[in-house]
Amino acid sequence: KLNILEFWQTKLRNAAAPLPSLKFFKPHYMSLSKPHPLWTTCGSDSYQLNKACVQAKYLSGSFRTQKLLSHFSHENLPFCQLHPDAQVVGDLPHHLVHCSALASRRNA
């Protein structure tokens, strides 16, 4: 039974590692037999649970950035809406690290 679990866990980790949408996901933390540390450390507080859900969206590459939205609709441009005069791509690294409009939220 343990060999089967190890086989599928290794297969899943190897499949997840090269995916560009999972750039921030660390497959070595992934387990098929226990929850990800993201879920075990958030507790039962609703604020912490909501924060964990947002972090899970970041990790899975499903957080709705302007760049992601522009793939699904030609009406959406891939540029950050917080910088209307500059054409800065609104992707996840911009949102998390570079966006000057969000600097006060990052430093809080």
Side-chain angles (χ1 to χ4, degrees):
K1 186 175 180 177
L2 189 58
N3 288 340
I4 294 170
L5 181 66
E6 275 299 315
F7 170 80
W8 285 109
Q9 202 161 263
T10 303
K11 188 172 179 71
L12 210 55
R13 285 177 178 163
N14 291 338
L19 296 175
S21 63
L22 299 177
K23 181 168 44 172
F24 299 104
F25 180 70
K26 305 292 182 219
H28 63 273
Y29 288 117
M30 184 179 68
S31 171
L32 295 176
S33 60
K34 55 187 176 191
H36 189 277
L38 175 69
W39 302 115
T40 58
T41 58
C42 69
S44 60
D45 176 39
S46 63
Y47 175 76
Q48 295 297 328
L49 283 169
N50 189 31
K51 204 163 79 168
C53 288
V54 171
Q55 289 173 347
K57 288 179 183 180
Y58 284 154
L59 290 173
S60 66
S62 64
F63 186 81
R64 293 186 178 180
T65 61
Q66 283 303 118
K67 184 178 178 183
L68 182 64
L69 291 173
S70 71
H71 285 292
F72 300 110
S73 170
H74 296 293
E75 295 173 10
N76 292 318
L77 295 175
F79 306 116
C80 180
Q81 292 182 337
L82 300 174
H83 302 281
D85 46 338
Q87 290 194 342
V88 180
V89 175
D91 59 359
L92 195 55
H94 172 75
H95 186 80
L96 292 175
V97 181
H98 305 294
C99 186
S100 58
L102 297 172
S104 62
R105 299 294 290 167
R106 276 194 300 274
N107 298 330

